[in-house]
Amino acid sequence: MKIVMMARNPNLYSHLRLKEAAEARGHELDIVNTLRCYMNIASRRPEVYYNGEKLPKYDVVIPRIGASVTFYGLAVLRQFEMMGVYPLNESVAIGRSRDKLRSMQLLARDGIGLPVTTFAHDPKQTEEVLSLAGGAPLVVKLLEGTQGIGVVLADSDRSAKSVIEAFRGAGVNILVQEFIKEAGGTDIRALVVGGKVIAAMQRTGADDEFRSNLHRGGSAKAIRISPEERATAIRSAKTLGLNVCGVDMLRSNHGPVVMEVNSSPGLEGVEKATGIDVAGKIIEHIEARAKAGKTKTKGKG
Ligand code: ADP
Ligand code: MG
């Protein structure tokens, strides 16, 4: 197969591993810098250009769209979809996962366990939002944050109020969440590929840190997850329509709760912690599923 990967940095561990795994199985994989792709939105013959040339016909596109380039990246991905290229994850599904509020609303609709989460626009409702979420301690987070940046733990209602006001003053959207204290600065990431959990790790934050992100100094180890956690991860992937994703859960007193679903999960942490060839499993999934034009939405919606 001819595969194109949209990625800004071809030398990232995840990107190198996917290329290696594809080539080891006899496929061709080209990496294109998402931001250097440009397109011709002509009717009935969508095309993508790169470095002065029209890109050849690919069978599969692997989107690795960084959070900071979501808008442009999804436009390029939609263009590939309109050309009939099979996307590892569809643009619509990635769009759902990038917005924490939108994804939580979809997960809630399907009855998936979530931390109590509140959202409001009007600053006059700050008090109500705090009490709806159960009062301090509370977690305040940016709707489109990533790598733990923009996630704040407020110990008292007073500090929660100032954090909310500060974020609001900066003109960004936030949600307010019950703090799952019993998780103890630890979360679980389950890697779902093609409707199955193929690897799971537990991440623990550095000392004195409630955020377990590896980018914030957290450490990872392989774990066995419970059948309930497995089912929650698989259902979350299905609800958002993602073929490949990392489902992040906390172990709460009332069972697993989903914090977010990542549509471009990093491979380094999980492969090193578990010894599982995640890149190989992703390519095998593509081999089993990829068919030209077989996207549900073809970039619609
Ligand atoms: P990001 O997209 O920046 O990774 P997350 O929502 O995943 O944001 O939060 C980052 C980390 O903060 C999580 O991995 C988890 O360790 C911790 N965290 C987030 N929300 C909560 C919560 N409601 N209760 C306890 N810990 C949380
Ligand atoms: Mg996270």
Side-chain angles (χ1 to χ4, degrees):
M1 281 187 294
K2 268 176 86 70
I3 305 175
V4 62
M5 178 154 69
M6 296 165 51
R8 278 168 78 197
N9 178 357
N11 297 319
L12 271 189
Y13 177 95
S14 304
H15 306 160
L16 291 172
R17 285 283 299 123
L18 285 164
K19 186 168 168 66
E20 186 181 271
E23 287 172 351
R25 286 167 176 75
H27 307 298
E28 250 177 73
L29 189 149
D30 297 336
I31 301 184
V32 295
N33 183 329
T34 310
L35 293 185
R36 287 214 226 115
C37 291
Y38 50 103
M39 349 171 215
N40 173 358
I41 329 259
S43 64
R44 291 183 214 289
R45 40 177 186 82
E47 277 152 7
V48 177
Y49 290 84
Y50 191 66
N51 287 339
E53 283 179 36
K54 193 160 91 180
L55 283 178
K57 176 90 185 78
Y58 288 105
D59 303 301
V60 176
V61 53
I62 300 183
R64 298 285 306 184
I65 302 170
S68 59
V69 300
T70 299
F71 175 79
Y72 195 72
L74 290 184
V76 176
L77 179 57
R78 274 196 298 277
Q79 191 80 355
F80 279 119
E81 289 170 355
M82 290 189 292
M83 294 161 69
V85 184
Y86 175 84
L88 179 58
N89 276 329
E90 288 191 51
S91 55
V92 175
I94 297 173
R96 291 182 189 123
S97 75
R98 283 293 153 91
D99 175 337
K100 287 194 167 111
L101 181 62
R102 183 176 176 193
S103 52
M104 297 214 111
Q105 288 177 313
L106 293 170
L107 297 173
R109 189 175 68 190
D110 282 355
I112 291 164
L114 303 170
V116 174
T117 302
T118 58
F119 181 72
H121 176 74
D122 186 348
K124 288 195 207 91
Q125 259 104 57
T126 302
E127 303 270 357
E128 280 86 344
V129 160
L130 292 184
S131 75
L132 262 186
L138 289 166
V139 175
V140 182
K141 55 175 95 164
L142 290 182
L143 238 42
E144 299 193 11
T146 184
Q147 304 186 346
I149 301 161
V151 179
V152 179
L153 173 59
D155 293 312
S156 66
D157 282 353
R158 202 162 55 174
S159 55
K161 253 182 98 174
S162 359
V163 172
I164 292 170
E165 280 162 13
F167 275 139
R168 203 161 266 140
V172 291
N173 277 312
I174 47 165
L175 47 81
V176 178
Q177 224 166 46
E178 127 192 58
F179 175 54
I180 309 291
K181 187 166 189 280
E182 61 271 25
T186 287
D187 76 353
I188 296 169
R189 166 162 290 189
L191 227 86
V192 180
V193 176
K196 290 199 185 84
V197 174
I198 58 139
M201 64 175 168
Q202 185 176 55
R203 300 179 300 187
T204 302
D207 286 348
D208 270 353
E209 175 59 73
F210 79 102
R211 297 168 298 180
S212 53
N213 301 67
L214 303 183
H215 286 100
R216 304 265 72 74
S219 57
K221 66 169 203 226
I223 46 152
R224 283 188 69 87
I225 58 173
S226 70
E228 195 188 1
E229 288 160 353
R230 186 174 296 271
T232 300
I234 293 169
R235 284 173 59 212
S236 302
K238 186 152 181 258
T239 293
L240 297 183
L242 291 164
N243 296 321
V244 171
C245 60
V247 180
D248 294 348
M249 296 173 278
L250 294 169
R251 283 184 165 157
S252 83
N253 291 335
H254 44 98
V257 291
V258 175
M259 269 179 311
E260 67 167 339
V261 181
N262 195 317
S263 54
S264 287
L267 303 189
E268 185 166 14
V270 68
E271 286 198 336
K272 290 190 172 157
T274 63
I276 293 170
D277 174 12
V278 175
K281 296 207 184 276
I282 291 175
I283 302 298
E284 281 167 18
H285 166 78
I286 290 174
E287 289 169 345
R289 295 280 187 91
K291 285 218 184 69
K294 200 184 148 197
T295 72
K296 275 202 223 83
T297 58
K298 293 208 174 64
K300 280 183 278 188

